Amino acid sequence: MFSTTPFVLSFSLLLSLPILFLIGPRFLPPRHSSAPIPLTDERDDLSLFNRAASLSSSSSSSFSHLSTNPKLKIAFLFLTNSDIHFSPLWQRFFHGNSHLYNVYVHADPSVNVTRPDGVFLDRFISSKRTYRGSPTLISATRRLLATALLDDPANGFFALVSQYCIPLHSFRYVYHSVVTSTSFDRTESDARSARFGVRFRYKSFIEILSNEHTLWKRYTARGRFALMPEIPFDKFRVGSQFFVLMRRHALVVIKDRTLWRKFKLPCYRDDECYPEEHYFPTLLSMADPNGCTHYTLTKVNWTGTVNGHPYTYRPAEVSPQLIRQLRQSNFSESYLFARKFTPDCLKPLMGIAEKVIFRD
């Protein structure tokens, strides 16, 4: 005969496993590869955001400041944790258009990043350490937005890119598409966005998805009820972290405190935790869904994705045909940027820059 007490104890433990599986995330401490955001970083950011918000009046956010600033600018926000591998390509992209853009770079200070000359000279902002799949990437992006808002009131649009991004067109094509074209956005009719051939209605180009197959896993990555009550599941959205925002939406981002308190929480599921792909789509979908296109202008190939990383193009794949394929979009006249490319793609990309990439 077996001992009754050990048998009962073992049986009870066996029965408790499903219960622990269900409620564990609500009580057990979270595991995450990165440390929480330091309080000093939070304080620094809050001071920056408050200054940017106070100096950016409601009139400037609605573009009525054009009477004194006739040319809107695009602020290019480079988020990187390594060298800006394609800086020579970007230099050629920006050449001759200095009155229509500004450049800002957030580089992880824990990495020895080479600072290029030219358009990148003195454009590196005060930065904090970042970690993949953590809220630090949200903080870094908000830092870039706030700095650009403070720096130049003519910054009307804010394009977020990484060190692995490349332009797919000339600067003039990109500027025309984002700022002046009345037909670039195929999801918006000319009648709703323009009058007498002049554009008056603008939207932010940001991907916002509500039917992604891992949506529930991503929503519960911090715990089943962690985002409640501010963010019920039916309001949760995901999408690409790379966007082009209007000025008024950039202000929405830096003014937010409510959703940030939720999305800065650490995750229990590292494999489904990509806060930078959750925070911005959810925030802008809740704040102004009709003011967003719900698609991105940055082409990414997710075929054969590994550990959350997109397909990475290598030098042998760079060709005029590839550039033309990457431009193709179902939502706009063209994608404007693409990723992800290995650093050694620079030489073949420069070889086709003038005759292919910048020839629209």
Side-chain angles (χ1 to χ4, degrees), residues 185 187-188 199 202-208 244 249 288-297 331:
D185 179 9
T187 68
E188 181 86 343
R199 186 170 176 181
Y202 293 88
K203 286 187 175 183
S204 288
F205 295 92
I206 178 171
E207 187 175 54
I208 300 175
V244 179
H249 285 160
D288 186 17
N290 294 327
C292 303
T293 63
H294 294 240
Y295 64 84
T296 180
L297 296 180
F331 306 104

Side-chain angles (χ1 to χ4, degrees), residues 80-214:
T80 184
N81 60 0
S82 67
D83 289 348
I84 303 175
H85 308 298
F86 303 113
S87 60
L89 184 65
W90 284 105
Q91 298 272 17
R92 194 171 296 185
F93 169 80
F94 288 120
H95 180 72
N97 300 284
S98 59
H99 60 300
L100 297 176
Y101 72 85
N102 282 304
V103 170
Y104 307 89
V105 183
H106 186 290
D108 189 324
S110 69
V111 181
N112 186 20
V113 175
T114 301
R115 301 194 173 198
D117 292 330
V119 300
F120 296 98
L121 184 64
D122 298 327
R123 305 311 296 172
F124 282 66
I125 73 169
S126 178
S127 304
K128 309 290 185 182
R129 191 166 186 180
T130 56
Y131 300 87
R132 179 175 181 263
S134 83
T136 58
L137 293 175
I138 301 176
S139 296
T141 303
R142 297 176 84 199
R143 229 169 270 135
L144 281 163
L145 289 169
T147 303
L149 284 165
L150 275 170
D151 180 61
D152 193 339
N155 285 333
F157 297 89
F158 304 78
L160 182 68
V161 293
S162 79
Q163 73 271 37
Y164 298 109
C165 288
I166 66 165
L168 293 175
H169 288 279
S170 69
F171 177 87
R172 291 197 174 276
Y173 182 95
V174 170
Y175 186 89
H176 173 73
S177 300
V178 172
V179 181
T180 62
S181 175
T182 60
S183 60
F184 177 73
D185 179 9
R186 291 175 175 168
T187 68
E188 181 86 343
S189 67
D190 288 356
R192 294 183 61 187
S193 63
R195 289 175 185 167
F196 306 108
V198 178
R199 186 170 176 181
F200 70 92
R201 177 183 171 91
Y202 293 88
K203 286 187 175 183
S204 288
F205 295 92
I206 178 171
E207 187 175 54
I208 300 175
L209 304 175
S210 60
N211 57 354
E212 212 271 342
H213 71 281
T214 62

